[in-house]
Amino acid sequence: MLKVLEVKAAAGELSTEVTDLGMRVCGGAAFRKEVGVERHFRDSRAATAMAPTADVLYGFIGRAACGPAPLLTLLREVDCDVGETLVPGAVAYDPKVVTIWEGFRRYLGARGLAFDYVLYSNYESQVDALLSGNVQVAWNSPLAWLNAERRAFADGLAVSALCMRDTDLDNRSVIVSRAADSVRSLADLRGRTVAVGATDSPQATLIPLAHLARQGLRAGIDIEVLRHEVLAGLHGDHVGGERQAAESLVAGEAAAACLHGGTTGRSSKMGSSTR
């Protein structure tokens, strides 16, 4: 996506330069419709007026190339009217979310930034609110970020990532089996049942199933998938469906379970060792 935005910015500026030169070379004849230069001159100006403009694109590209600025600095740059309260959106996947955002509000308020927040029950509603302008910032899951980026691009808009929690770095998905089972490799799962989390959980469903498919184990064809639709709409927050997937593995209902790497320790405490 970054390469696409770089090409759009460069093409927009170059088209303006080329059509300017064309008008100068053709002189008065350039205004004749049958020549076609005036149309290209007019259309090239769309890049300077239609979102995302080159200035917005260069800002996004610069952040991607140079790294993010401190959070408070970035939030101050969000497009708000003078004196307007900055209102981000967040998803209430757990009661502790209120405590987290109250902490943000007090911290930023003490530093002179008028700040409030809106909580949503699912990420789809939050992305809708962001793109419609009801909130200026959205605390998205990785899946919601991709959804927002693609929808914005389709609408001629641009969204940019401001920051990421360091606790989200180096996360990984794992596919585990019972130590006493005959599963020694992914190939041994052919024709067997694999337990996963909620449909929209990247770590416990989407990423593992995509990996299995690349290894020739397609869901519903080469393997049976046992889904656990817990907290669907929250994109795997609060370990949606993962505990149930681990329980299915321990109970012998599945030959393997797809989990977040941090969940494997909890599955071992359920009464069965895993590998």
Side-chain angles (χ1 to χ4, degrees):
M1 180 59 72
L2 181 60
K3 290 294 185 184
V4 173
L5 298 182
E6 291 174 351
V7 169
K8 183 181 187 303
E13 293 198 341
L14 184 59
S15 66
T16 301
E17 294 179 11
V18 170
T19 52
D20 277 346
L21 179 61
M23 292 293 290
R24 292 171 60 190
V25 170
C26 295
F31 290 95
R32 295 167 53 186
K33 290 187 178 296
E34 60 269 23
V35 175
V37 176
E38 55 86 23
R39 179 179 180 84
H40 294 305
F41 178 82
R42 181 194 68 195
D43 290 348
S44 69
R45 266 56 190 171
T48 64
M50 296 179 65
T53 62
D55 289 340
V56 172
L57 292 173
Y58 283 135
F60 179 85
I61 295 165
R63 286 194 182 98
C66 301
L71 177 59
L72 186 58
T73 301
L74 290 169
L75 291 178
R76 292 188 189 279
E77 294 177 356
V78 173
D79 187 15
C80 294
D81 294 332
V82 176
E84 183 182 357
T85 299
L86 175 64
V87 181
V91 171
Y93 62 88
D94 187 272
K96 68 181 180 183
V97 171
V98 176
T99 303
I100 293 171
W101 284 94
E102 277 298 304
F104 275 135
R105 189 172 67 84
R106 290 193 297 269
Y107 175 85
L108 295 171
R111 286 155 179 79
L113 181 65
F115 184 90
D116 205 345
Y117 57 91
V118 177
L119 298 180
Y120 295 90
S121 64
N122 60 80
Y123 281 105
E124 283 68 27
S125 296
Q126 180 172 284
V127 172
D128 289 341
L130 176 65
L131 297 182
S132 63
N134 292 330
V135 295
Q136 298 107 332
V137 180
W139 191 273
N140 278 328
S141 69
L143 189 61
W145 157 245
L146 290 174
N147 185 21
E149 186 180 40
R150 291 175 178 177
R151 287 180 54 186
F153 184 76
D155 293 340
L157 304 173
V159 293
S160 59
L162 296 177
C163 62
M164 177 179 177
R165 296 182 304 188
D166 55 5
T167 54
D168 290 330
L169 299 175
D170 300 323
N171 282 335
R172 61 175 182 169
S173 298
V174 296
I175 302 172
V176 301
S177 64
R178 293 182 301 276
D181 205 339
S182 60
V183 176
R184 296 292 184 272
S185 67
L186 292 181
D188 294 331
L189 293 175
R190 187 174 299 276
R192 307 286 296 275
T193 298
V194 176
V196 300
T199 298
D200 58 4
S201 170
Q203 70 271 13
T205 303
L206 300 175
I207 293 174
L209 290 184
H211 177 68
L212 289 171
R214 287 195 294 269
Q215 303 303 313
L217 298 172
R218 297 162 295 176
I221 300 175
D222 304 295
I223 56 172
E224 293 298 323
V225 177
L226 178 58
R227 300 182 184 272
H228 297 85
E229 297 296 353
V230 178
L231 299 177
L234 300 184
H235 297 183
D237 281 355
H238 202 47
V239 206
E242 291 180 56
R243 179 179 177 84
Q244 289 73 16
E247 289 173 346
S248 295
L249 173 65
V250 172
E253 299 171 357
C258 301
L259 310 170
H260 182 276
T263 309
T264 54
R266 290 192 290 271
S267 67
S268 297
K269 297 176 183 178
M270 294 177 188
S272 177
S273 60
T274 58
R275 145 174 81 237

